[in-house]
């Protein structure tokens, strides 16, 4: 096996782990969806099991992505970036980064709602930074209930119960950076969490 192929295969595990976490699946969920055992999936993500076509095909079908996206292979001769939106819980996420592991970047679109939704806070591992592009974002974070207008940013530990929605029923567009624990944006307004109000004095 040549060095280039080895390099491609070496990043498959971290890429699969990042994609699974991005989609909100556990290894147990993925095992049910793909028919691949949980232990095999774990070894594949950790690099202890070498990726094969037999393993990658059901994963590509489950994630609804081309095989090229799983192995990070470049699209020869095509300079365009092919962004594939992800739709989850009625919201649209457009991935803006392709590097496995590290900080992941997304554009998130919360659609207009005829009636305001009841917050359903959730928790998960990681750290999140967001910036509101358009609309008014409602951010429920622990005991706090905040409204962020365009141009405002927030960052917080996602192990805190949190929920994102529209504050007024209109469309909200925002940029999100998501990283694992210890990977945070450089600007912090509060040692605990919360919003950085850009331009306010």
């Amino acid at each position: 096996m040549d060095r280039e192929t080895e390099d491609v295969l070496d990043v498959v595990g971290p890429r699969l782990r990042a994609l699974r976490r991005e989609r909100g699946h556990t290894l147990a969920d993925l095992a049910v969806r793909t028919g691949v055992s949980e232990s095999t999936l774990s070894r594949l993500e950790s690099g202890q099991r070498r990726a094969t076509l037999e393993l990658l095909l059901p994963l590509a079908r489950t994630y609804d992505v081309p095989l090229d996206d799983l192995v990070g292979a470049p699209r020869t001769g095509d300079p365009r970036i092919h962004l594939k939106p992800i739709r989850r819980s009625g919201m649209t996420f457009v991935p803006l980064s392709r590097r496995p592991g590290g900080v992941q970047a997304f554009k998130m679109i919360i659609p207009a709602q005829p009636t305001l939704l009841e917050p359903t806070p959730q928790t998960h591992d990681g750290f999140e930074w967001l910036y509101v592009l358009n609309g008014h974002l409602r951010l429920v974070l622990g005991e706090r209930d905040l409204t962020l207008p365009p141009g405002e940013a927030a960052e917080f530990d996602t192990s805190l119960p949190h929920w994102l929605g529209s504050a007024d029923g209109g469309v909200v567009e925002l940029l999100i950076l998501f990283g694992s624990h210890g990977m945070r944006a450089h600007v912090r307004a509060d040692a605990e969490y919360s919003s950085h109000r850009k331009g306010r004095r």
Side-chain angles (χ1 to χ4, degrees):
M1 186 179 297
D2 59 52
R3 183 66 253 173
E4 184 177 356
T5 302
E6 287 277 1
D7 290 343
V8 169
L9 291 176
D10 284 345
V11 301
V12 170
R15 189 179 299 277
L16 290 174
R17 182 183 293 110
L19 184 58
R20 175 174 60 80
R21 290 176 175 173
E22 170 192 312
R23 300 295 179 89
H25 296 319
T26 65
L27 285 171
D29 294 335
L30 201 56
V32 172
R33 291 168 179 264
T34 62
V36 179
S37 73
E38 190 173 340
S39 61
T40 297
L41 292 170
S42 177
R43 291 170 58 212
L44 187 60
E45 289 187 357
S46 66
Q48 297 175 10
R49 174 71 180 265
R50 186 63 84 186
T52 64
L53 192 60
E54 182 181 8
L55 294 174
L56 292 179
L57 279 175
L59 288 167
R61 284 194 296 267
T62 297
Y63 291 133
D64 191 26
V65 297
L67 275 173
D68 283 355
D69 284 5
L70 295 185
V71 299
R75 292 176 171 84
T76 305
D78 188 349
R80 295 172 296 175
I81 299 174
H82 299 267
L83 302 176
K84 189 176 182 63
I86 301 165
R87 291 176 177 81
R88 185 167 51 199
S89 302
M91 296 177 286
T92 300
F93 298 81
V94 181
L96 303 178
S97 58
R98 295 171 59 86
R99 183 170 63 89
V103 176
Q104 302 296 313
F106 300 88
K107 179 179 180 181
M108 177 179 174
I109 303 170
I110 301 174
Q113 299 287 344
T115 57
L116 296 181
L117 300 178
E118 184 68 24
T120 53
Q122 298 182 352
T123 63
H124 53 86
D125 291 336
F127 198 84
E128 193 165 298
W129 180 93
L130 57 84
Y131 178 84
V132 181
L133 296 170
N134 293 297
H136 288 76
L137 175 71
R138 182 182 180 189
L139 170 61
V140 176
L141 184 61
E143 298 298 319
R144 300 191 182 189
D145 195 332
L146 307 169
T147 297
L148 282 66
E152 192 155 296
E155 60 177 337
F156 52 90
D157 186 327
T158 54
S159 64
L160 291 168
H162 60 282
W163 179 85
L164 306 177
S166 174
D168 55 13
V171 175
V172 183
E173 298 182 19
L174 57 151
L175 295 177
I176 291 180
L177 298 180
F178 176 77
S180 58
H181 282 298
M183 307 185 70
R184 303 182 176 183
H186 290 295
V187 178
R188 288 189 60 76
D190 186 304
E192 180 180 343
Y193 54 72
S194 204
S195 63
H196 164 60
R197 299 178 180 272
K198 187 174 181 180
R200 295 192 175 186
R201 298 179 184 274

